[in-house]
């Protein structure tokens, strides 16, 4: 991993994912290790994403690194019309590693080709958000004791959810069985299903959570946005079928855990938060350990 | 022999240069643009909607006093995978081969994704070329990772 950029989850081999997860486990036991005291890390957020930025900045701070950067394009030279290439080349002179989020697809790959220092993609438009995928894998392994052979249900917007797409692709390397719960209009795209088929694995499609919740190891919830529906009436008709309530969980496996990339709107009732099967806040916390592991590996300390 | 000679003469014969034959009729002008023949100073002759035994209808381009490198000419295989290239010296065919679809292309096709960085900043495009299960040619963008299918291909 040393000096490598992380742009897309497709850049990684199974062994490399596992290596990062193992290092993250060490950081979970001992999250404050001042190994980056001589480093400056830039966090360039060309569009705001407070949650992701704070997770990265917490990871860097716990490792003793210094942070420079901006939190949205309006407060940077980008608003004066500077190209991405010029911003990246300039910041690369001031830092050892750049964490970036940008609204355009492919921006992080382009940045990694001009920077001369490693880039971590913290989200490029609708394309990739690989650290989210790594923390999802970490959370699955942590709660199930393994990544192999799990049954996972994805619920909600499976068409546009980049988080879902990346995690499906990653899990095809671990012999998963996929249960896809979504309204007709928001089914998983065939380009992603192709990864499942090519790996010789199976997927099953449903239109309600109850149809499958009792049989899975992981219930991965996502938000359904009204704007995604061509017909607003259709949204009104289906929206309640994708809201998770405690009573739906009564017969689920004791080891089952609920994940969600957050932020949540209303797709998980707040009463579920107290259910021992709710894991989404711990999942967000795991993001810090995974990001510590990634940064430490890229800078050559792990 | 006489028959094929007569066919040949439908588009003026050239003494030296290149003939690109068996181009799908509806892709002829795209092929001309990809090879930048619209701005070339060489003599260029072309014909389209000509009858072809194999394909029903075809287009043909002849470029005088010009030869192409394989990488350059293979660009048009994206729109004309059936095309044949013939090199002519002193009115004689000296070389003849079928075009090959390149594995990777750079800078001349546009990404179909309006949110791709290559459509917003001065980033040269880069694609992996592949054929899907149905045998259709598709481009996979190196940057945004989206796929552009044949009907959406636009060339610079
Ligand atoms: Zn693209």
């Amino acid at each position: 991993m040393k000096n490598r950029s992380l742009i897309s989850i497709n850049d990684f081999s199974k062994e490399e994912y596992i290596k990062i997860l193992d290092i993250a486990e060490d950081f979970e036991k001992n999250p404050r290790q001042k190994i980056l005291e001589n480093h400056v890390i830039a966090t360039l957020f060309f569009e705001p994403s407070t949650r992701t930025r704070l997770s990265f900045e917490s990871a860097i701070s716990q490792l003793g690194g210094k942070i420079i950067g901006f939190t949205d394009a309006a407060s940077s030279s980008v608003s004066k019309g500077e190209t991405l290439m010029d911003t990246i080349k300039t910041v690369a002179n001031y830092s050892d590693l750049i964490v970036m989020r940008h609204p355009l697809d492919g921006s992080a790959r382009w940045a990694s080709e001009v920077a001369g220092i490693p880039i971590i993609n913290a989200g490029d438009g609708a394309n990739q958000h690989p650290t989210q995928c790594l923390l999802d894998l970490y959370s699955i392994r942590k709660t199930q004791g393994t990544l192999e052979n799990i049954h996972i249900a994805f619920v909600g917007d499976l068409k546009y959810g980049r988080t879902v797409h990346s995690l499906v692709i990653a899990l095809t390397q671990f012999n998963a069985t996929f249960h896809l719960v979504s309204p007709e209009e928001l089914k998983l795209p065939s380009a992603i299903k192709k990864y499942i088929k090519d790996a010789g694995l199976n997927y099953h499609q449903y239109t309600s959570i109850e149809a499958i919740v009792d049989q899975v190891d992981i219930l991965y919830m996502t938000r359904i946005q009204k704007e995604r529906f061509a017909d607003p009436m259709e949204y009104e008709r289906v929206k309640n079928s994708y809201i998770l309530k405690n009573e739906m969980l009564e017969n689920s496996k004791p080891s089952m855990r609920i994940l969600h990339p957050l932020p949540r709107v209303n797709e998980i009732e707040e009463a579920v938060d107290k259910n021992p099967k709710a894991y989404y806040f711990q999942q967000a916390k795991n993001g810090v350990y995974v990001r510590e592991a990634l940064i430490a590996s890229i800078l050559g300390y792990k | 022999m006489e028959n094929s000679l007569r066919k040949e003469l439908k588009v003026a014969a050239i003494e030296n240069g290149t003939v690109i034959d068996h181009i799908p009729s509806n892709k002829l002008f795209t092929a001309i643009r990809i090879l930048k023949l619209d701005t070339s100073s060489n003599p260029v002759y072309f014909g389209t909607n000509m009858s072809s035994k194999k394909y029903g209808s075809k287009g043909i381009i002849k470029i005088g006093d010009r030869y192409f490198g394989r990488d350059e000419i293979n660009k048009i295989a994206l729109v004309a995978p059936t095309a044949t290239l013939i090199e002519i010296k002193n009115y004689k065919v000296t070389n003849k081969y079928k075009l090959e679809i390149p594995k990777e292309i750079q800078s001349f096709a546009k990404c179909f994704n309006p949110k791709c960085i290559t459509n917003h900043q001065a980033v040269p495009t880069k694609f992996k070329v592949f054929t899907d299960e149905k045998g259709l040619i598709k481009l996979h963008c190196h940057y945004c990772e989206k796929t552009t299918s044949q009907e959406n291909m636009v060339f610079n």
Side-chain angles (χ1 to χ4, degrees):
Chain A
M1 288 303 299
K2 197 180 173 196
N3 284 325
R4 261 178 71 185
S5 291
L6 172 58
I7 305 303
S8 166
I9 203 69
N10 308 325
D11 297 349
F12 271 55
S13 68
K14 181 174 174 175
E15 291 68 34
E16 284 165 331
Y17 296 136
I18 290 170
K19 182 87 202 296
I20 294 292
L21 304 188
D22 290 345
I23 298 168
E25 220 161 60
D26 289 343
F27 278 115
E28 181 170 2
K29 288 181 202 121
N30 183 13
R32 302 216 169 155
Q33 302 182 31
K34 302 286 174 209
I35 53 181
L36 298 186
E37 280 182 319
N38 296 318
H39 288 280
V40 176
I41 294 166
T43 55
L44 308 185
F45 279 65
F46 295 87
E47 67 176 6
S49 172
T50 308
R51 192 175 300 273
T52 302
R53 184 173 55 82
L54 292 181
S55 176
F56 269 107
E57 294 189 353
S58 173
I60 297 162
S61 301
Q62 297 199 53
L63 298 177
K66 308 286 180 297
I67 298 162
I68 59 169
F70 49 81
T71 59
D72 67 84
S75 64
S76 74
S77 53
V78 180
S79 62
K80 301 190 188 93
E82 187 177 56
T83 64
L84 175 61
M85 180 168 80
D86 286 3
T87 306
I88 294 293
K89 280 182 163 172
T90 306
V91 174
N93 291 327
Y94 309 150
S95 56
D96 304 309
L97 169 72
I98 295 174
V99 175
M100 68 174 273
R101 184 177 188 107
H102 194 284
L104 291 174
D105 303 352
S107 51
R109 178 79 64 197
W110 172 239
S112 74
E113 291 173 350
V114 296
I117 63 168
I119 302 274
I120 295 177
N121 182 7
D124 62 321
N127 185 32
Q128 290 275 335
H129 187 11
T131 59
Q132 176 71 46
C133 188
L134 285 170
L135 78 89
D136 290 342
L137 291 174
Y138 186 83
S139 300
I140 293 169
R141 190 174 81 164
K142 176 102 188 152
T143 60
Q144 306 302 315
T146 176
L147 280 169
E148 301 286 343
N149 310 320
I150 62 151
H151 281 254
I152 182 166
F154 288 95
V155 179
D157 179 355
L158 310 188
K159 184 172 181 186
Y160 298 100
R162 117 191 117 178
T163 305
V164 171
H165 302 172
S166 298
L167 187 55
V168 167
I169 294 168
L171 285 173
T172 58
Q173 300 197 47
F174 298 96
N175 199 38
T177 304
F178 300 90
H179 302 277
L180 311 173
V181 185
S182 75
E184 199 59 33
E185 286 185 79
L186 298 176
K187 279 159 79 172
L188 194 73
S190 54
I192 308 296
K193 286 177 182 159
K194 188 172 185 300
Y195 282 92
I196 301 177
K197 286 187 228 158
D198 288 352
L201 302 176
N202 293 311
Y203 64 83
H204 310 278
Q205 303 190 93
Y206 314 85
T207 50
S208 80
I209 299 172
E210 286 95 332
I212 189 61
V213 65
D214 295 350
Q215 294 163 55
V216 298
D217 304 306
I218 294 286
L219 186 64
Y220 198 102
M221 298 293 298
T222 67
R223 186 153 57 105
I224 291 185
Q225 290 167 279
K226 197 176 182 173
E227 311 85 76
R228 300 297 193 196
F229 286 81
D231 175 6
M233 290 299 291
E234 179 64 14
Y235 170 78
E236 295 303 326
R237 201 179 64 76
V238 304
K239 65 176 184 190
N240 289 323
S241 329
Y242 301 92
I243 296 175
L244 188 65
K245 303 178 180 73
N246 264 328
E247 49 270 35
M248 295 171 165
L249 298 166
E250 275 163 15
N251 295 315
S252 60
K253 287 187 183 179
S255 60
M256 191 277 268
R257 290 294 176 271
I258 304 155
L259 303 185
H260 188 300
L262 303 181
R264 149 181 68 178
V265 181
N266 64 349
E267 57 279 9
I268 302 176
E269 282 197 343
E270 280 178 22
V272 177
D273 296 359
K274 292 196 195 74
N275 192 310
K277 292 171 183 172
Y279 194 75
Y280 28 94
F281 291 109
Q282 179 65 41
Q283 179 189 1
K285 191 175 179 186
N286 292 341
V288 176
Y289 311 134
V290 165
R291 289 173 177 123
E292 286 187 278
L294 188 62
I295 292 166
S297 313
I298 290 174
L299 292 175
Y301 291 94
K302 292 281 167 178
Chain B
M1 180 65 208
E2 209 190 321
N3 193 23
S4 77
L5 187 67
R6 211 169 50 236
K7 249 193 220 161
E8 191 66 16
L9 290 174
K10 280 187 189 160
V11 177
I14 51 174
E15 183 176 352
N16 292 296
T18 304
V19 176
I20 309 163
D21 200 0
H22 300 296
I23 301 167
S25 288
N26 60 350
K27 298 293 183 204
L28 183 94
F29 292 101
T30 313
I32 286 174
R33 224 156 18 83
I34 291 173
L35 294 174
K36 302 202 189 314
L37 298 177
D38 48 349
T39 54
S40 156
S41 56
N42 294 66
V44 177
Y45 311 92
F46 64 85
T48 185
N49 298 319
M50 300 165 75
S51 64
S52 154
K53 266 199 198 119
K54 239 189 193 160
Y55 304 105
S57 160
K58 67 167 188 178
I60 187 166
I61 308 172
K62 301 188 178 193
I63 308 105
D65 307 316
R66 169 116 187 248
Y67 302 96
F68 295 87
R70 292 255 177 156
D71 286 347
E72 198 181 0
I73 200 76
N74 280 340
K75 284 179 180 181
I76 69 164
L78 290 177
V79 295
T82 54
T84 314
L85 187 119
I86 302 158
E87 289 178 348
I88 294 182
K89 284 177 184 151
N90 287 322
Y91 296 108
K92 285 207 180 80
V93 174
T94 54
N95 193 8
K96 184 170 176 173
Y97 58 88
K98 293 206 75 154
L99 296 193
E100 271 172 47
I101 296 163
K103 286 193 173 61
E104 224 184 77
I105 57 166
Q106 286 188 31
S107 302
F108 80 99
K110 270 173 66 88
C111 182
F112 174 60
N113 174 7
K115 283 200 69 198
C116 181
I117 184 83
T118 61
N119 289 320
H120 293 263
Q121 302 206 359
V123 180
T125 62
K126 203 164 148 186
F127 298 94
K128 276 210 173 73
V129 184
F130 70 100
T131 29
D132 71 3
E133 337 48 297
K134 290 174 197 140
L136 300 169
I137 298 171
K138 292 189 168 173
L139 305 179
H140 180 81
C141 179
H142 168 73
Y143 293 100
C144 74
E145 306 183 22
K146 297 283 176 297
T147 296
T148 301
S149 54
Q150 204 153 22
E151 68 271 21
N152 295 319
M153 284 180 201
V154 175
F155 301 97
N156 298 329

